[in-house]
Amino acid sequence: MADLWQSAMDHAVSVARKAGEVVREALQVDRKVMTKSSSVDLVTQTDQKVEKLIIQSVQEKFPSHRFIGEESVAAGERCVLTNEPTWIIDPIDGTTNFVHAFPFVAVSIGFCVNKQVEFGVVYSCLEDKMFTARRGKGSFCNGEPLQVSDQKDIKQAIIATEFGSSRDPEVVDHIFSSLRNIVSIPVHGVRGAGTAAINMCLVASGCVEAYYEIGIHVWDVAAGSLIVSEAGGVLMDVEGGQMDMMSRRIVAANSKIIAERIVKEISVFSPLRDDAPPDGHH
Ligand code: IPD
C-alpha cells in the first residue's frame, strides 16, 4: 500500500500545481462572485472549475477512490468520511482573498484512509510554495523540511486566527471575546492570512506559534493538519482533547503548552458539524 499512496501523493502534487496555474490565470479575469451560506461566504466559477479539474484527474488514475470537495458539498453532496481512500479537496482556500486579489490563495488536498490523513498537499499558488506532508515522513515546503517554532512562552508568540464566514451576532461576539482574551495575555501579535490552510502552513514553518478557528470545514484543514503534525506541532479541539476534523473547530500549535494556553482563552461554540445529517441536528 505504501507505494500506492506515494503515487497518489505525487499525483496530488502535480494536480495541485496545475490547479494553481488555473487559479493564477483566473485571477486576471474571473472575479465574478456568488455567495453561499452568507453574504460573506463567497464562491466563484474558478472554485467550481478547479474542483472539477482535480476530481476528474484523480478519478482517471484512482477510479475507486472517494471525494469530499467543498463545492460538491455546496452543490448538495453529503460530507461523509468513510474508511475508504478519500480525497478531501478545497479548490481555492481563501476565496475572499482570491476575489480581492489579496495574495494568499491555496489549493488544499488531503488524502485519508481509515479516517486518518495519509498525506496533505497545500499549494500556496500566488507565492508558488508547495507544502507537503506524508504520515511519518515529515513536512516540506518546496522540498525543504519544515519545523514548528520552539517558543513555549505565550507572551512571545504570534497567534493566527480568522473572522470566518458567519456574521451571526452571537458568533461575532464569541470571536471577539476570544480575540480580546488572547490579545490581552498579551501575545506579540495576532495575524490571519485569510486561508486556514496557509495559516496552518505558517504554524508548520515556525512563523506563528498557533492557529485556532471555529467555523472552518474539513476541506480547509485536512491537508494542513498533517503538515502541522509532521512538522512537530500538535492539534487539539478548542475545548482541549482530540481534534475532530468534522467538528469545524481546531487549534493547531507548535506545542501542547501553547495549545493548552490558547484553549483557556477561547470562547467556545459548536457550529453544525460537517457530517451532520441533512435534518441538521448537532
Ligand atoms: C475559508 C478560509 C478562511 C476561514 C474560513 C474558511 P474558503 O475557506 O479558510 O480563512 O476563515 O473559515 O471557510 O471558503 O476560502 O475555502
Side-chain angles (χ1 to χ4, degrees):
M1 279 311 183
D3 282 337
L4 182 59
W5 301 158
Q6 186 57 49
S7 81
M9 180 162 166
D10 294 343
H11 192 71
V13 169
S14 98
V15 79
R17 208 177 283 288
K18 254 183 236 146
E21 262 167 47
V22 175
V23 173
R24 277 195 299 266
E25 276 163 26
L27 199 60
Q28 314 302 322
V29 285
D30 168 37
R31 310 262 285 280
K32 213 171 86 211
V33 190
M34 297 166 278
T35 57
K36 295 194 286 188
S37 65
S38 74
S39 66
V40 295
D41 186 7
L42 309 183
V43 63
T44 68
Q45 283 171 355
T46 307
D47 296 69
Q48 294 159 346
K49 182 173 157 189
V50 170
E51 182 162 317
K52 274 201 193 115
L53 175 153
I54 297 171
I55 292 179
Q56 271 168 13
S57 152
V58 174
Q59 252 167 354
E60 275 171 28
K61 243 188 136 181
F62 304 98
S64 65
H65 290 186
R66 303 172 70 115
F67 298 91
I68 293 176
E70 173 169 21
E71 305 317 331
S72 315
V73 171
E77 273 182 37
R78 291 283 316 279
C79 180
V80 183
L81 186 58
T82 67
N83 288 337
E84 297 302 309
T86 304
W87 297 65
I88 303 180
I89 299 161
D90 190 344
I92 300 184
D93 189 41
T95 304
T96 306
N97 287 355
F98 172 79
V99 166
H100 292 267
F102 190 83
F104 300 100
V105 175
V107 176
S108 175
I109 304 177
F111 178 75
C112 285
V113 183
N114 295 324
K115 302 193 177 84
Q116 194 172 37
V117 187
E118 286 292 332
F119 66 74
V121 172
V122 171
Y123 182 43
S124 177
C125 50
L126 305 182
E127 302 179 285
D128 191 22
K129 287 186 178 170
M130 183 67 75
F131 294 90
T132 56
R134 175 113 195 260
R135 196 159 62 84
K137 301 238 158 88
S139 295
F140 299 85
C141 176
N142 291 345
E144 294 295 319
L146 296 177
Q147 179 65 46
V148 294
S149 131
D150 61 6
Q151 182 56 257
K152 304 278 163 54
D153 178 358
I154 190 78
K155 294 188 173 170
Q156 311 275 326
I158 291 188
I159 307 303
T161 192
E162 297 288 337
F163 297 104
S165 54
S166 166
R167 295 297 180 264
D168 173 333
E170 262 183 47
V171 169
V172 172
D173 281 348
H174 280 294
I175 289 173
F176 275 90
S177 163
S178 306
L179 204 53
R180 185 181 196 289
N181 294 345
I182 285 167
V183 168
S184 316
I185 288 176
V187 293
H188 269 181
V190 173
R191 300 285 184 272
T195 111
I198 293 182
N199 286 330
M200 295 177 86
C201 291
L202 290 169
V203 175
S205 306
C207 309
V208 305
E209 275 63 36
Y211 159 67
Y212 74 91
E213 188 171 349
I214 302 179
I216 40 84
H217 294 277
V218 63
W219 44 81
D220 299 314
V221 297
S225 63
L226 190 69
I227 294 172
V228 168
S229 57
E230 286 296 323
V234 302
L235 303 161
M236 210 176 261
D237 178 58
V238 293
E239 289 184 90
Q242 220 184 344
M243 191 253 314
D244 169 353
M245 271 206 309
M246 289 290 173
S247 72
R248 305 188 55 198
R249 319 189 322 170
I250 193 165
V251 178
N254 66 340
S255 60
K256 199 161 172 259
I257 294 180
I258 293 283
E260 282 172 346
R261 187 64 187 81
I262 300 280
V263 160
K264 281 193 191 153
E265 307 297 348
I266 297 178
S267 178
V268 171
F269 62 100
S270 299
L272 193 63
R273 292 176 60 84
D274 275 332
D275 56 3
D279 63 1
H281 291 302
H282 275 68

